[in-house]
């Protein structure tokens, strides 16, 4: 008779701090609320409609794709809601409703679910959708054209566009305090710099995002913008202007820090963040697109697996046996 034995297998013991995807998602939404609410205050009901439609569409698309692929329903973890909210925050308040719904579909299907769902996506889903919309219908994301009918007492020329087309002399009328407080034309959730900074600090203090990536990204933007400005002050804007305008702050705290598409080791995180910041300014100053954050982060997403192979040497020493 065979002497059969039952072997029980188990994974190695891991320490868990009690956090969850749901906790991070809901705290990310909470951190993004100040900037989103300021966008609603500035642009009114159209902005609220874009944000609500983006979030609800992302949740519905995720539920439908879960059903079609016969996967467990994952809308409860809040990740789809975060993707939808961030997408809405990157859009102008006057974008057509069908573009918002299509963007949410692209983010959930192309940016996330095709790769296996949360944790498997190599690119930031929100930025995948935004980039596809930008390359397909560039006019829908041109803030000067889309927001031409808004008049609420601030300079309605998109700051990054003004710098690109007219140079630093034109942007002198943009006070840095106004840029920080959100009195600038732009995306619904990307203009209120102070709110984004507060939200980012909250996420860093709570440990939901890595400070190494966010701060190295900002450092990359500041240093590169400084070098350009020193080389030709009459052509390139100041580092602080680049910091407070466009998608810089929302990119630093809510986009470049996305878990699945960013490194987990210390040195790779610094290289990853700094590289995205450097590329952002390069695209703005000498590239084709007005704001370089979206494509800068996507390009660093592409090299992320290579960067994460940079690891510290193992402890101990080699022993050669005769």
């Amino acid at each position: 008779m065979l002497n059969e034995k039952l072997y029980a297998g188990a994974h190695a013991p891991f320490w868990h701090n009690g956090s969850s995807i749901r906790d991070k998602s809901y705290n990310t939404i909470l951190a993004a609320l100040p900037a989103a609410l300021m966008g609603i205050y500035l642009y009114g009901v159209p902005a609220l409609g874009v944000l609500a439609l983006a979030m609800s569409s992302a949740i519905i698309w995720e539920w439908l794709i879960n059903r079609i692929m016969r996967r467990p329903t994952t809308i409860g973890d809040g990740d789809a809601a975060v993707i939808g909210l961030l997408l809405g925050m990157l859009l102008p308040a006057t974008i057509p409703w069908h573009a918002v719904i299509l963007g949410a579909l692209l983010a959930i299907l192309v940016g996330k679910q095709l790769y296996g769902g949360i944790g498997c996506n190599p690119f930031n889903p929100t930025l995948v959708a935004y980039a596809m919309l930008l390359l397909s219908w560039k006019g829908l994301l041109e803030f000067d054209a889309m927001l031409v009918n808004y008049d609420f007492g601030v300079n309605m020329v998109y700051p990054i566009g003004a710098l690109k087309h007219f140079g630093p002399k034109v942007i002198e009328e943009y006070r840095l305090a106004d840029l920080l407080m959100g009195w600038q034309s732009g995306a619904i959730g990307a203009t209120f710099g102070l709110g984004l900074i507060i939200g980012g600090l909250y996420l860093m203090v709570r440990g939901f995002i890595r400070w190494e990536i966010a701060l190295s990204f900002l450092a990359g933007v500041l240093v590169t913008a400084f070098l350009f400005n020193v080389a030709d002050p009459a052509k390139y804007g100041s580092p602080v202007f680049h910091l407070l305008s466009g998608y810089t702050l929302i990119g630093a705290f809510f986009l470049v820090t996305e878990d699945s598409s960013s490194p987990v080791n210390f040195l790779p995180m610094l290289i990853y963040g700094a590289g995205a910041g450097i590329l952002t300014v390069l695209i703005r100053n000498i590239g084709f697109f007005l704001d370089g954050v979206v494509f800068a982060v996507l390009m660093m997403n592409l090299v992320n697996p290579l960067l994460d192979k940079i690891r510290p040497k193992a402890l101990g020493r080699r022993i050669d046996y005769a």
Side-chain angles (χ1 to χ4, degrees), residues 109-180:
L109 178 60
V110 180
K112 177 182 176 182
Q113 293 294 349
L114 284 184
Y115 296 102
I118 188 170
C120 301
N121 52 288
F123 301 99
N124 186 309
T126 300
L127 296 184
V128 169
Y130 184 94
M132 295 179 74
L133 289 176
L134 179 63
L135 295 174
S136 301
W137 299 284
K138 185 173 180 288
L140 296 181
L141 298 173
E142 289 183 350
F143 297 109
D144 288 338
M146 296 300 293
L147 303 177
V148 66
N149 293 323
Y150 273 90
D151 182 14
F152 46 80
V154 301
N155 193 322
M156 286 309 299
V157 179
Y158 185 47
I160 295 295
L163 174 64
K164 186 87 169 182
H165 297 306
F166 305 109
K169 286 294 183 182
V170 175
I171 66 172
E172 289 178 356
E173 59 187 87
Y174 292 92
R175 296 190 307 166
L176 296 180
D178 289 342
L179 295 179
L180 182 66

Side-chain angles (χ1 to χ4, degrees), residues 28-29 32-33 36 51 54-55 58 80-90:
T28 301
I29 293 173
L33 276 181
L51 293 176
M55 291 184 69
V82 171
I83 292 173
L85 174 62
L86 294 179
L87 177 62
M89 292 174 68
L90 296 178

Side-chain angles (χ1 to χ4, degrees), residues 242-264:
H242 279 281
L243 180 69
L244 298 179
S245 58
Y247 292 144
T248 303
L249 291 176
I250 192 173
F253 299 118
F254 294 93
L255 301 177
V256 74
T257 54
E258 199 262 340
D259 287 335
S260 301
S261 56
S262 60
V264 297

Side-chain angles (χ1 to χ4, degrees), residues 4-317:
E4 296 182 352
K5 294 182 180 180
L6 176 64
Y7 292 94
H11 61 73
F14 291 97
W15 177 76
H16 195 281
N17 64 1
S19 63
S20 65
I21 296 173
R22 179 180 298 178
D23 289 338
K24 179 173 182 179
S25 297
Y26 292 163
N27 277 277
T28 301
I29 293 173
L30 178 64
L33 276 181
L37 291 175
M38 174 59 83
I40 295 172
Y41 172 75
L42 291 177
Y43 297 110
V45 174
L48 177 61
V50 170
L51 293 176
L53 183 60
M55 291 184 69
S56 59
S57 297
I59 293 171
I60 293 172
W61 284 127
E62 173 133 326
W63 179 80
L64 287 174
I65 294 170
N66 286 156
R67 296 297 299 271
I68 294 171
M69 294 184 173
R70 297 182 180 180
R71 294 175 178 172
T73 301
T74 58
I75 60 174
D77 60 22
D79 185 63
V82 171
I83 292 173
L85 174 62
L86 294 179
L87 177 62
M89 292 174 68
L90 296 178
L91 300 175
T94 53
I95 190 169
W97 62 269
H98 56 82
V100 180
I101 296 176
L102 177 60
L105 173 62
L106 294 172
I108 298 300
L109 178 60
V110 180
K112 177 182 176 182
Q113 293 294 349
L114 284 184
Y115 296 102
I118 188 170
C120 301
N121 52 288
F123 301 99
N124 186 309
T126 300
L127 296 184
V128 169
Y130 184 94
M132 295 179 74
L133 289 176
L134 179 63
L135 295 174
S136 301
W137 299 284
K138 185 173 180 288
L140 296 181
L141 298 173
E142 289 183 350
F143 297 109
D144 288 338
M146 296 300 293
L147 303 177
V148 66
N149 293 323
Y150 273 90
D151 182 14
F152 46 80
V154 301
N155 193 322
M156 286 309 299
V157 179
Y158 185 47
I160 295 295
L163 174 64
K164 186 87 169 182
H165 297 306
F166 305 109
K169 286 294 183 182
V170 175
I171 66 172
E172 289 178 356
E173 59 187 87
Y174 292 92
R175 296 190 307 166
L176 296 180
D178 289 342
L179 295 179
L180 182 66
M181 297 306 297
W183 295 106
Q184 57 174 307
S185 172
I188 295 171
T191 59
F192 185 29
L194 181 60
L196 293 168
I197 293 172
I198 293 173
L201 291 176
Y202 171 79
L203 292 176
M204 285 192 291
V205 170
R206 294 291 307 276
F208 292 111
I209 63 173
R210 299 302 297 264
W211 64 267
E212 296 92 336
I213 297 177
L215 296 188
S216 61
F217 174 81
L218 295 177
V221 170
L222 289 172
V223 171
T224 310
F226 172 77
L227 294 176
F228 271 97
N229 184 252
V230 169
D232 191 351
K235 185 177 180 180
Y236 302 112
S238 69
V240 179
F241 177 84
H242 279 281
L243 180 69
L244 298 179
S245 58
Y247 292 144
T248 303
L249 291 176
I250 192 173
F253 299 118
F254 294 93
L255 301 177
V256 74
T257 54
E258 199 262 340
D259 287 335
S260 301
S261 56
S262 60
V264 297
N265 295 308
F266 178 72
L267 182 58
M269 285 192 287
L270 296 181
I271 298 173
Y272 173 84
I278 293 169
L279 287 172
T280 293
V281 179
L282 289 176
I283 295 172
R284 285 180 178 179
N285 286 343
I286 61 178
F288 175 74
F289 295 98
L290 291 180
D291 199 317
V293 171
V294 173
F295 293 104
V297 176
L298 287 175
M299 282 190 285
M300 293 309 295
N301 288 165
L302 188 64
V303 301
N304 167 45
L306 297 177
L307 292 177
D308 235 1
K309 291 183 178 180
I310 304 175
R311 300 179 181 179
K313 293 182 179 180
L315 297 176
R317 63 187 179 90

